[in-house]
Amino acid sequence: MAKTIPISLDAMGGDHGPEVVIPGAEIALVRHPDIRFLIYGNEKVVLPILDRYPRVKEASTFHHCDVSVAMDAKPSQALRQGRWRSSMWRAIEAVKTEEAAVAVSAGNTGALMAMSKFCLRTMANIERPAIAAIWPTTRGESIVLDVGATIGADAQQLIDFAILGGAMARALFSIEKPTVGLLNIGVEEVKGLEEVRTAGRLMREAPLSSLTYSGFVEGDDIGQGAVDVVVTEGFAGNIALKTAEGTAKQIGGYLRSAMSRTLMSKIGYFFAKSAFDRLREKMDPRKVNGGVFLGLNGIVIKSHGGTDAEGYAAAIDLAYDMVRNELTQKIAHDLVHYHRGGIARAAKNSEGDQ
């Protein structure tokens, strides 16, 4: 019998809480029968919903929590009020105690990152964790990080993000040596911030065995899938992510308006429906829902707070894949080789010379 994958769920996280979490778990369980859930939440709210999904109930262990982290809570407030007691903390703590292999939450991003970092701690030689997003492209999918964990990054941190993103690409896409690019305002080596130029120079000079550094990439290269991994700091990454999401909604609105404007356009839509269905499927943000917290001693997946059950199931799918493909082990392996190669020392020396 195949080994089960224990996944902890913060049932109270997100705009809809267990009304989305439990049905999402049902969808994911159908796709992955070897999942076992540890569900954390308020029993008065969660158990009546859990009773409607006997498959999930059978495959789950429920843990009552008195405290839920509000979507608008400040990270410091969430830590003070929710540490040890909240459904979010308990789901993360289950990863620390190895009761769960990965935690999934649709809750407050800032609070989830603060709790994850406090509870799990960062991996050796990693100063800052990052949030990695899966980005649909014309070639398939790419990974973009950081998309909002921290603001700003020095050369060393950008190189760390490259190592983390490369390991995730190997785990998710089964690519032996993924291509990595640094997001910049141009591809020329003289352009961009000093930190980005320094990180680029060091990565060009380093013998990186786990990835291929492809140089600078621009914003329009992300959607084209120019590289497997796009590295940036959290401020620019989050703006890029939100811009892409907004543009997808804008295009969808234009298409709906155009297809319903006249009788001829409605007839044209009828004959081209299969093509539009494929486009809708490609642009559906639910299919790539889930940000991966990288650089911690454990895996945490952040689902979009406003997603539906299908989107939440996609986040659980991602959690499942990260465990099955040994993401944490790949990151640890790559970090060891990275520091043995001396690039970390070179980065520190370069920063000291500035």
Side-chain angles (χ1 to χ4, degrees):
M1 189 177 191
K3 183 179 178 181
T4 60
I5 300 294
I7 299 177
S8 59
L9 304 179
D10 168 20
M12 309 307 291
D15 297 341
H16 311 290
E19 291 286 356
V20 161
V21 172
I22 304 304
E26 169 86 6
I27 296 171
L29 191 59
V30 171
R31 294 196 280 248
H32 310 292
D34 53 338
I35 289 177
R36 178 83 186 173
F37 293 116
L38 291 81
I39 301 176
Y40 297 86
N42 189 304
E43 60 186 7
K44 293 181 180 179
V45 180
V46 178
L47 291 182
I49 300 172
L50 196 56
D51 286 337
R52 302 203 303 263
Y53 294 88
R55 186 198 303 264
V56 178
K57 187 174 183 179
E58 175 66 25
S60 302
T61 302
F62 176 76
H63 302 270
H64 171 69
C65 302
D66 292 319
V67 178
S68 302
V69 175
M71 291 298 285
D72 59 352
K74 294 181 179 180
S76 57
Q77 177 188 13
L79 272 173
R80 284 196 306 271
Q81 299 177 355
R83 190 168 48 189
W84 318 119
R85 305 162 56 211
S86 66
S87 57
M88 180 182 287
W89 176 276
R90 296 280 305 280
I92 298 167
E93 189 177 41
V95 177
K96 180 180 180 180
T97 60
E98 299 184 354
E99 296 173 80
V102 56
V104 181
S105 175
N108 180 319
T109 303
L112 185 64
M113 176 55 77
M115 286 192 177
S116 297
K117 189 174 180 180
F118 191 93
C119 183
L120 299 175
R121 306 295 183 182
T122 55
M123 300 179 77
N125 300 307
I126 293 293
E127 183 178 346
R128 293 185 181 182
I131 303 177
I134 301 171
W135 202 290
T137 73
T138 55
R139 289 177 50 218
E141 291 177 337
S142 293
I143 293 168
V144 180
L145 77 163
D146 176 26
V147 294
T150 55
I151 303 300
D154 59 27
Q156 177 60 64
Q157 289 156 358
L158 290 172
I159 296 169
D160 289 342
F161 293 168
I163 300 294
L164 297 173
M168 179 174 165
R170 289 168 56 214
L172 188 63
F173 304 145
S174 299
I175 301 173
E176 183 176 349
K177 201 170 183 179
T179 55
V180 177
L182 289 171
L183 186 65
N184 204 350
I185 58 172
V187 298
E188 298 85 357
E189 295 180 11
V190 296
K191 288 189 175 181
L193 298 173
E194 180 65 28
E195 293 84 355
V196 178
R197 297 201 307 271
T198 300
R201 175 176 59 80
L202 291 169
M203 291 182 69
R204 283 193 303 275
E205 296 171 354
L208 297 170
S209 60
S210 61
L211 58 86
T212 299
Y213 176 61
S214 300
F216 297 149
V217 295
E218 298 182 77
D220 58 345
D221 291 321
I222 302 177
Q224 295 175 23
V227 291
D228 300 310
V229 181
V230 176
V231 174
T232 185
E233 53 82 34
F235 185 82
N238 191 265
I239 290 176
L241 178 66
K242 298 296 175 58
T243 301
E245 291 176 345
T247 302
K249 292 178 182 178
Q250 182 181 3
I251 293 173
Y254 285 161
L255 287 173
R256 285 191 296 271
S257 177
M259 292 301 99
S260 61
R261 185 166 298 167
T262 65
L263 177 60
M264 290 304 296
S265 64
K266 291 178 180 178
I267 294 173
Y269 171 76
F270 175 79
F271 286 106
K273 186 176 183 302
S274 61
F276 281 112
D277 287 343
R278 288 194 297 272
L279 177 62
R280 188 182 300 111
E281 178 81 9
K282 182 69 174 178
M283 294 176 62
D284 189 349
R286 301 177 304 171
K287 302 299 182 182
V288 290
N289 178 46
V292 184
F293 288 8
L294 298 177
L296 301 169
N297 291 303
I299 307 173
V300 177
I301 306 295
K302 169 63 175 75
S303 168
H304 195 291
T307 194
D308 59 10
E310 187 63 47
Y312 196 86
I316 296 175
D317 291 343
L318 179 60
Y320 178 91
D321 289 340
M322 292 299 91
V323 175
R324 274 288 181 218
N325 294 305
E326 301 180 332
L327 172 63
T328 303
Q329 294 89 326
K330 284 181 170 62
I331 290 175
H333 173 273
D334 291 355
L335 286 173
V336 168
H337 282 264
Y338 158 70
H339 284 280
R340 284 179 179 171
I343 183 174
R345 292 189 296 274
K348 291 179 181 178
N349 292 336
S350 178
E351 290 169 6
D353 293 338
Q354 293 177 12

